[in-house]
Amino acid sequence: MVKILFVCLGNICRSPLAEGILNKQLKDKGLEGKVSCDSAGTSTYHIGDDPDKRAIKTAKNHGCELSHKGRQITLGDFSTFDYIFAMDNENFKDVKALEKKAKDAGAVIRAKIYLTREFDNLYDDEVDDSENDIAWEVADPYHGSEEDFEECYDTLERCSTEFLKYLVKAHKL
Ligand code: 4NP
């Protein structure tokens, strides 16, 4: 079983959407028995909470059910998961700091850590985004509009599609 963890700040908008989208794609391709996924937040803000209502609604409009209770990422996650995806640069930095903590505590690190949009087919690592450091982030829709949730869904769906193609090849699924 290949295990995937999506990480954002609150674990009520972006990462549960990413989890729901990948779960839907896995089901559509009959790969549920080979790949599993979960999500977590770097913060403690929404532990035990359902996903944001706007995230649930956006997903539902795309035929995607979200079923998750908010949790915070743990040091143990670095030994459990094969891939950890951070939604934005801040999440990535926080996840890398936790990975170091887990390493220092003697954990065997299994997870490869990525910025989610490295799998966006619009991603171009030749583009210098240092002037615009949100360019390759999954923007946080929490303080945004319904359109922002829709854009978030579309971005995550593109990334999920490309990542799944990669997984099927890399793990011969
Ligand atoms: P998420 O969005 O990280 O995509 O789940 C947020 C949700 C809640 C908060 C911030 C971002 N908050 O500050 O409560």
Side-chain angles (χ1 to χ4, degrees):
M1 181 72 91
V2 186
K3 295 183 175 171
I4 321 296
L5 181 68
F6 296 102
V7 178
C8 61
L9 174 63
N11 192 212
I12 55 167
C13 299
R14 292 165 291 176
S15 61
L17 270 174
E19 178 188 347
I21 291 167
L22 182 57
N23 272 331
K24 179 178 186 300
Q25 294 183 338
L26 290 171
K27 202 169 167 202
D28 290 348
K29 295 197 179 308
L31 290 169
E32 312 107 293
K34 296 190 170 168
V35 183
S36 70
C37 68
D38 190 8
S39 65
T42 55
S43 75
T44 56
Y45 303 158
H46 294 283
I47 291 173
D49 289 356
D50 287 325
D52 187 284
K53 286 193 170 51
R54 296 163 297 172
I56 293 174
K57 189 177 164 202
T58 304
K60 206 167 184 179
N61 289 342
H62 289 267
C64 176
E65 292 291 326
L66 302 189
S67 148
H68 181 77
K69 296 285 181 199
R71 75 169 181 91
Q72 190 177 29
I73 184 173
T74 67
L75 296 186
D77 288 333
F78 294 91
S79 308
T80 302
F81 291 92
D82 298 285
Y83 296 90
I84 297 181
F85 286 103
M87 295 292 149
D88 62 33
N89 293 328
E90 184 80 17
N91 305 151
F92 187 83
K93 206 171 64 190
D94 290 343
V95 167
K96 290 298 279 185
L98 283 173
E99 180 200 32
K100 182 176 182 314
K101 239 183 170 178
K103 256 185 204 159
D104 291 348
V108 175
I109 306 293
R110 173 170 168 177
K112 288 194 184 93
I113 302 166
Y114 290 97
L115 199 55
T116 306
R117 289 194 68 191
E118 287 181 61
F119 279 89
D120 190 335
N121 57 12
L122 302 181
Y123 182 75
D124 182 351
D125 60 9
E126 298 293 308
V127 173
D128 177 8
D129 69 353
S130 56
E131 295 290 305
N132 176 13
D133 66 7
I134 64 160
W136 301 115
E137 298 185 314
V138 180
D140 188 350
Y142 183 62
H143 295 290
S145 63
E146 286 203 7
E147 289 77 51
D148 294 320
F149 274 85
E150 193 58 41
E151 188 182 334
C152 181
Y153 188 98
D154 290 345
T155 301
L156 290 170
E157 192 177 45
R158 284 197 309 273
C159 298
S160 193
T161 301
E162 290 307 310
F163 175 60
L164 198 46
K165 280 187 205 162
Y166 163 82
L167 266 190
V168 165
K169 259 196 193 159
H171 294 264
K172 301 187 171 59
L173 302 179

